[in-house]
Amino acid sequence: MELLALILIPLAAASVLMAFRPAAGTARGLALASTLLTFVLTLWLWYTWGGETVIGIAKDWVPAWGMRFVLGYGGIGLLMLLLTGLLFPFIIGTGYKQPVGDAALVNALLLFSQSALFGVFMAQNAFLFYIFFELSLIPIFFLLLYWGGEHKRAITIRFFLYTLLGGLALLFSIAFLTLQTPAPHSADFTALAALDLPMDTQLWLFWTLFLAFAIKMPIFPFHSWQPETYTMAPTQGTMVLSAVMGKMGLYGIVLFLFGIVPAGTAHWQGFVITLSLIGALYAGVIAFRQDDLKRLVAYSSMSHMGLMSAALFTMNAYGISGGLYQALAHGVLMVCLFYIAGMLFLRTGTNDMGRMGGLKARMPRLALLFMLVVGNAISMPLTQSFPGEWLMFNGLWQLKPWMALVGIPLIVLGAVYMLYAYQRVLLGTPGETAGLELHDADGEEHFLLVPLIAITFVVGIFPNTVLHLVDAPVHQLLNLFPPLP
Amino acid sequence: MSALILISVLGVLVLYVGLFGRKDMLAPVGILGVLGAIALFATGWHIPHELLGGMLEFDGFSTGFSLAMLAITLLVFLFGPDYYARMANNVAEQYALMLFSLCGGILLTAYNNMLMLFLGIEVLSIPLYVLAGGKKYSLRSNEAALKYFLLGAFATAFLLMGIALLYGLTGSFDMGVLAKHIAEAGTGSALLRFGIFFVVAGLAFKLGAVPLHFWVPDVYHGAPTLVTMFMATVVKMAAIAGFFRFVDITGMPDPLARILVLLTLATMLVGNISALRQTNFKRLMAYSSVSHAGFMLLALLSDSGTEAGNGADVGRTLLYYSFTYALATAGLFILFIIAKRANNGDEHHQIFRGLFQTKPWLALCGLAMLLSLAGIPLTAGFVAKYQVFLLAIGAGWLKVMGFGVLMALLGIYYYIMVARELFMASEEPVTFTVSPLNGLVIAACTIGVLLLGIWPQLVGVWA
């Protein structure tokens, strides 16, 4: 029942907002209350979780196509639920200081997408997964279309088509897989995972499935929608896209590729890791050359995602746990970074780092908050990203040492572009915007950033709080994989 | 049979009502009659029976299709009084001709004999030639009528030629005899191949399948919008039903499959590609109807005959697909007419701008119907497309289906372009006037599309 509530609470709140269009303050309050309620619910699920897969609700929908309404979660799903539950209150909270457009509509759209995202992470039936997967896209589409920046129409349509292409490839695969199950067909993940598909099928099926998730994350070379969309989108939209929706890709890889076509995945493993690492390096280099702060964060997100994908595809315990653990860390990081970019935009009216500089003297507290976040971004020890990065590199090393070696410039690059950005914005000679009426970070902004930064340190010091979630499922997955030659 | 008679008599009755100048009574009489026909069909549901010595055979498939066509006709008629409010003369003929055309459509769902096929196509088409020219003083309307008539006459000739060749082969018009001949003597004879080729050409013309689709955009564009709505919905359903029966009873012989693959690929490709750049909403809907014909053909392609294979499944899928497509299309056309009036007769898809600001619920209805046509989950259009893809995979047409998936993506693009307009602000204030009845019809279409999407078993076809 509480699983259904996770989907229904945001849905109900969004419907109320849509139907009655309350004033901005009420709308935000209601949205925040709803997201906090769902966060408490996810915490409750975490607290009561006993380590096994929980099935909360199972109802037949269209039995002829194996379509069933099954909601449940295992450790990995729970991690994703926690991520969604944790981050949405902050994403809604962003609207207080950095409002866009009609508050009732914006919050309604955000809540709709949250509802669908919960659905994605709880669906235990491939068909249901697909439905939520597509539904999560529609509110974001409107958010971008209405309140995006320059060239919003063209960029939004491109983003939409790109992701739908992936979605249709996924649908194709699900339809094919369902028909392979013994009659009466079932699209439940358990039934699909029990399929022992012949190797040649797995080889092509891997790609039709991978396409969907590679676009969503995104992984090089399927990324070309991402930087522009992240830059153009309103801050809250970018947060949902980068912090939560990108994780659908990671989750999908574990669920579909590892669970259903393990042999195919093992066959393409090296190729995909190479792609991911190329993408990570490439995005890192581009991030270094950016003048636009939001765009820099967008590329840094892509760089991190590339590394996470590479780590997942090592298909060993270190790599997979590291990649999954990092999903949460990356989500928290993205919300922080985009929030700070928004704060700076609010004060200076620009994202152009060339026009900033020397702002630290005017805004010391903002500078401190930024520093702490940057610490997390470059994986300083004691921050949340450090254990994740360590695990991921360990995983890569175990597979092929050269892969971990390729990752070393990545660490350097990440530190360089983040610190360089910090320097250009806050240090050095005062830029042209330094003369503006700048006020330092205020109480509300601390209220949003401090808890997130606190989480980074708590999890950084006690990574096991998160890692224990994925421990058992990862070992279960490892049993599925064919032994390495 | 009684329903068929009822509809024909109803057409004549409507003409008489018009003769006595009771324009206000036309639609009510028509609606009551259609409701009566629905009742007659509904009571005979699940009772297969043959008529006219086996020339017609009403089974679950034809009853279902007839009911669906009647339901859509009902929607058209409900919008009729509003649409024809400003037309003084000859309104009765419009209703009557639609009813006659509907009779032809019902024949097409149930024929078991090639004579009935021919009769059905003709009864369906001839009223449409007149209807397309319904706006007597509009150049476009006259162009549409003439084009439709000339090309339609050619298509009929093809069909007749095909039937004649098949008759020459078997010595009978009966479809059962033809099927038996194919089963026994194989598909080697040239008579059979040419016969099938010509019959398929005639049917593909009616369906608007590429390369026999050239009339579709011009006729849809030129004809009065209510007639376009009727053609895009009821006539489309009748055509696909007729096509299905031909394919199903003959059991998909080899030459037929080869023609169908080409038709399917071409229709999906050309329909979707051409729709991409359309800015006139009626032409866009015309190409959208071509592209949907392509997806229906894909389902048809997967048919291997009711006797031996999945024919029953294909029939159900086609019924579901065409009905939900018709529901969304009908609702959108009404919305289009409302927007067109608000913008002084403009037909560019930008006329929908400002709808969300002034009538948000209407815009959401429009969105739901567009998403259904595009095939986004939780709408009926998605369920329909998914079922088609399942059939295609089951029949081993993996590559054709992969191509279909790509084409579906293109389809999403042009529907989303229209959906975008629904939510854009307009430069100057536009007032959309929606009468309660029109609002109700649009809401009914939307609810139907959503309900069938969330709960596909509702129509009882998938147990």
Side-chain angles (χ1 to χ4, degrees):
Chain A
M1 208 55 229
E2 56 271 28
L3 298 188
L4 206 55
L6 272 186
I7 295 177
L8 289 182
I9 291 170
L11 197 63
S15 309
V16 168
L17 289 179
M18 277 295 255
F20 299 107
R21 304 274 196 96
T26 328
R28 291 197 191 103
L30 180 64
L32 193 61
S34 139
T35 47
L36 283 174
L37 191 59
T38 48
F39 179 43
V40 171
L41 256 177
T42 51
L43 286 180
W44 165 254
L45 292 182
W46 187 20
Y47 181 70
T48 54
W49 187 59
E52 70 288 350
T53 305
V54 182
I55 298 294
I57 190 166
K59 290 255 183 302
D60 276 348
W61 193 349
V62 188
W65 313 334
M67 193 168 152
R68 299 203 311 146
F69 193 85
V70 195
L71 296 179
Y73 59 90
I76 299 172
L78 187 56
L79 177 68
M80 296 296 163
L81 290 178
L82 274 172
L83 169 85
T84 316
L86 167 68
L87 293 180
F88 260 85
F90 293 99
I91 294 172
I92 298 280
T94 305
Y96 277 92
K97 284 301 279 189
Q98 302 168 21
V100 271
D102 181 345
L105 270 182
V106 171
N107 285 308
L109 290 173
L110 288 171
L111 289 173
F112 275 132
S113 73
Q114 190 197 20
S115 170
L117 282 163
F118 274 134
V120 167
F121 296 136
M122 286 191 294
Q124 296 298 315
N125 182 291
F127 205 98
L128 195 64
F129 177 93
Y130 171 78
I131 286 178
F132 284 123
F133 188 81
E134 292 293 33
L135 282 186
S136 66
L137 191 61
I138 292 171
I140 294 299
F141 170 76
F142 282 105
L143 198 68
L144 265 54
L145 191 62
Y146 265 118
W147 296 290
E150 235 178 306
H151 306 305
K152 58 183 175 188
R153 289 192 217 164
I155 295 175
T156 307
I157 296 273
R158 180 162 60 161
F159 154 71
F160 195 65
L161 288 181
Y162 234 120
T163 30
L164 275 181
L165 171 69
L168 284 172
L170 178 63
L171 179 65
F172 174 96
S173 325
I174 294 176
F176 177 82
L177 282 167
T178 308
L179 286 183
Q180 307 304 309
T181 57
H185 300 308
S186 166
D188 285 359
F189 284 125
T190 44
L192 298 186
L195 285 174
D196 199 8
L197 294 168
M199 191 61 184
D200 53 339
T201 312
Q202 293 209 17
L203 287 185
W204 66 260
L205 201 58
F206 171 84
W207 284 103
T208 56
L209 285 167
F210 179 66
L211 187 66
F213 307 125
I215 289 175
K216 208 80 188 187
M217 294 205 6
I219 297 175
F220 176 84
F222 307 103
H223 66 284
S224 63
W225 61 271
Q226 187 250 25
E228 256 146 32
T229 310
Y230 280 17
T231 313
M232 170 280 287
T235 306
Q236 287 169 299
T238 315
M239 285 177 177
V240 175
L241 279 171
S242 62
V244 192
M245 288 182 80
K247 308 301 178 296
M248 294 196 319
L250 282 178
Y251 182 65
I253 285 175
V254 175
L255 208 58
F256 280 87
L257 296 180
F258 292 0
I260 299 169
V261 289
T265 313
H267 182 266
W268 293 111
Q269 178 185 35
F271 186 66
V272 172
I273 292 180
T274 312
L275 273 188
S276 307
L277 287 177
I278 290 175
L281 278 172
Y282 161 84
V285 172
I286 296 182
F288 176 61
R289 298 292 305 159
Q290 291 305 313
D291 285 328
D292 185 309
L293 182 58
K294 230 174 148 188
R295 196 174 277 263
L296 180 143
V297 179
Y299 276 109
S300 86
S301 165
M302 184 183 152
S303 179
H304 291 166
M305 284 307 245
L307 181 60
M308 279 144 79
S309 146
L312 274 188
F313 277 98
T314 58
M315 299 172 84
N316 56 40
Y318 282 103
I320 301 178
S321 345
L324 289 171
Y325 169 90
Q326 199 70 352
L328 182 67
H330 179 257
V332 173
L333 175 66
M334 281 301 124
V335 172
C336 290
L337 280 176
F338 280 114
Y339 189 75
I340 286 175
M343 281 166 81
L344 286 167
F345 182 81
L346 200 66
R347 288 168 173 78
T348 62
T350 179
N351 280 327
D352 187 352
M353 291 187 286
R355 299 176 57 197
M356 300 181 195
L359 299 183
K360 182 167 184 265
R362 312 288 304 274
M363 302 185 284
R365 274 177 294 184
L366 192 152
L368 176 65
L369 290 172
F370 196 1
M371 192 66 238
L372 292 172
V373 173
V374 166
N376 188 20
I378 62 178
S379 313
M380 295 284 283
L382 297 190
T383 63
Q384 196 179 3
S385 303
F386 177 71
E389 205 125 297
W390 186 82
L391 283 171
M392 294 197 291
F393 280 110
N394 216 326
L396 284 170
W397 180 273
Q398 283 194 0
L399 186 67
K400 294 260 165 44
W402 66 262
M403 289 175 177
L405 290 179
V406 170
I408 290 175
L410 211 56
I411 303 179
V412 179
L413 254 177
V416 167
Y417 64 72
M418 271 336 288
L419 291 172
Y420 184 51
Y422 182 82
Q423 179 199 338
R424 288 175 75 187
V425 172
L426 292 160
L427 310 176
T429 49
E432 54 182 288
T433 53
L436 295 169
E437 190 70 31
L438 299 172
H439 54 92
D440 205 353
D442 61 17
E444 271 180 56
E445 284 161 339
H446 278 93
F447 199 70
L448 197 131
L449 280 174
V450 170
L452 283 175
I453 293 173
I455 290 171
T456 38
F457 284 107
V458 172
V459 180
I461 295 167
F462 305 105
N464 243 352
T465 44
V466 176
L467 276 174
H468 87 272
L469 283 176
V470 297
D471 207 25
V474 166
H475 281 99
Q476 220 170 0
L477 275 178
L478 291 176
N479 292 334
L480 282 176
F481 300 147
L484 287 172
Chain B
M1 187 67 193
S2 40
L4 207 53
I5 296 173
L6 174 70
I7 297 169
S8 323
V9 173
L10 181 66
V12 180
L13 188 68
V14 166
L15 281 179
Y16 270 102
V17 174
L19 199 62
F20 292 113
R22 293 300 304 273
K23 197 180 145 196
D24 53 328
M25 288 304 292
L26 288 172
V29 169
I31 289 166
L32 272 181
V34 171
L35 281 175
I38 289 179
L40 284 176
F41 266 119
T43 50
W45 178 270
H46 287 323
I47 310 170
H49 56 291
E50 292 189 345
L51 290 172
L52 306 175
M55 289 170 98
L56 288 179
E57 185 191 1
F58 279 94
D59 47 15
F61 171 80
S62 39
T63 316
F65 251 98
S66 305
L67 274 171
M69 287 195 297
L70 281 164
I72 301 290
T73 312
L74 197 66
L75 293 178
V76 175
F77 279 13
L78 279 172
F79 185 60
D82 187 350
Y83 186 77
Y84 289 122
R86 277 172 284 179
M87 194 166 164
N89 296 319
N90 305 333
V91 180
E93 283 83 340
Q94 311 267 354
Y95 288 107
L97 285 170
M98 279 191 228
L99 287 170
F100 292 144
S101 182
L102 181 63
C103 282
I106 291 175
L107 286 183
L108 273 181
T109 65
Y111 72 88
N112 216 355
N113 185 300
M114 282 186 276
L115 271 185
M116 279 293 149
L117 164 65
F118 181 71
L119 205 63
I121 291 257
E122 285 306 278
V123 174
L124 179 77
S125 306
I126 292 173
L128 288 177
Y129 302 146
V130 184
L131 280 170
K135 279 188 187 159
K136 206 169 165 186
Y137 300 105
S138 152
L139 205 60
R140 283 205 163 280
S141 179
N142 280 305
E143 179 197 335
L146 189 66
K147 265 191 184 160
Y148 196 19
F149 174 66
L150 286 179
L151 291 173
F154 263 107
T156 305
F158 276 135
L159 180 69
L160 209 51
M161 176 80 178
I163 292 176
L165 289 175
L166 292 178
Y167 179 79
L169 182 72
T170 61
S172 162
F173 286 120
D174 196 83
M175 296 290 294
V177 175
L178 176 66
K180 216 168 131 214
H181 179 92
I182 292 172
E184 281 165 8
T187 55
S189 108
L191 267 186
L192 180 76
R193 282 195 225 149
F194 277 107
I196 285 180
F197 177 79
F198 283 123
V199 170
V200 166
L203 286 167
F205 174 84
K206 269 291 138 221
L207 187 63
V210 178
L212 297 156
H213 71 292
F214 289 99
W215 60 276
V216 177
D218 288 338
V219 174
Y220 278 32
H221 186 187
T225 309
L226 196 71
V227 175
T228 310
M229 181 172 151
F230 185 76
M231 286 201 290
T233 55
V234 177
V235 176
K236 200 80 164 184
M237 294 169 81
I240 193 70
F243 214 145
F244 170 76
R245 276 195 94 82
F246 186 80
V247 172
D248 196 55
I249 298 177
T250 53
M252 187 72 96
D254 214 30
L256 184 54
R258 242 173 289 157
I259 302 173
L260 269 182
V261 177
L262 292 180
L263 267 186
T264 308
L265 288 173
T267 309
M268 288 196 294
L269 180 72
V270 174
N272 284 298
I273 298 266
S274 319
L276 287 180
R277 303 296 295 178
Q278 300 301 325
T279 51
N280 182 301
F281 184 73
K282 275 168 99 174
R283 290 187 91 83
L284 175 72
M285 289 309 279
Y287 282 112
S288 129
S289 90
V290 174
S291 93
H292 282 283
F295 290 112
M296 289 194 253
L297 281 173
L298 180 57
L300 204 54
L301 183 64
S302 321
D303 190 11
S304 51
T306 305
E307 301 288 312
N310 59 354
D313 270 344
V314 175
R316 282 194 289 260
T317 303
L318 284 177
L319 173 58
Y320 184 86
Y321 195 111
S322 60
F323 180 61
T324 53
Y325 155 78
L327 262 184
T329 305
L332 280 173
F333 266 116
I334 296 177
L335 200 61
F336 162 72
I337 294 172
I338 289 168
K340 184 178 166 182
R341 282 180 187 158
N343 286 274
N344 305 321
D346 192 1
E347 290 185 347
H348 195 282
H349 62 49
Q350 281 180 358
I351 56 173
F352 291 115
R353 283 192 183 177
L355 192 62
F356 185 64
Q357 273 77 16
T358 49
K359 296 263 187 310
W361 291 108
L362 214 53
L364 288 178
C365 286
L367 176 70
M369 291 185 283
L370 283 166
L371 290 184
S372 176
L373 287 182
I376 304 286
L378 289 194
T379 61
F382 165 70
V383 174
K385 278 212 178 80
Y386 185 68
Q387 179 66 8
V388 169
F389 290 158
L390 277 186
L391 281 174
I393 293 177
W397 293 104
L398 264 186
K399 283 179 188 140
V400 182
M401 184 223 159
F403 183 74
V405 168
L406 279 183
M407 290 300 122
L409 182 70
L410 288 186
I412 292 170
Y413 173 78
Y414 52 82
Y415 293 119
I416 284 297
M417 294 304 266
V418 179
R420 201 178 73 174
E421 300 295 338
L422 288 172
F423 292 87
M424 302 280 283
S426 61
E427 283 87 36
E428 59 244 37
V430 192
T431 39
F432 297 93
T433 30
V434 190
S435 75
L437 185 61
N438 292 351
L440 209 65
V441 175
I442 294 177
C445 291
T446 311
I447 292 171
V449 158
L450 290 178
L451 210 58
L452 286 173
I454 294 169
W455 193 16
Q457 304 99 310
L458 193 66
V459 281
V461 290
W462 286 294

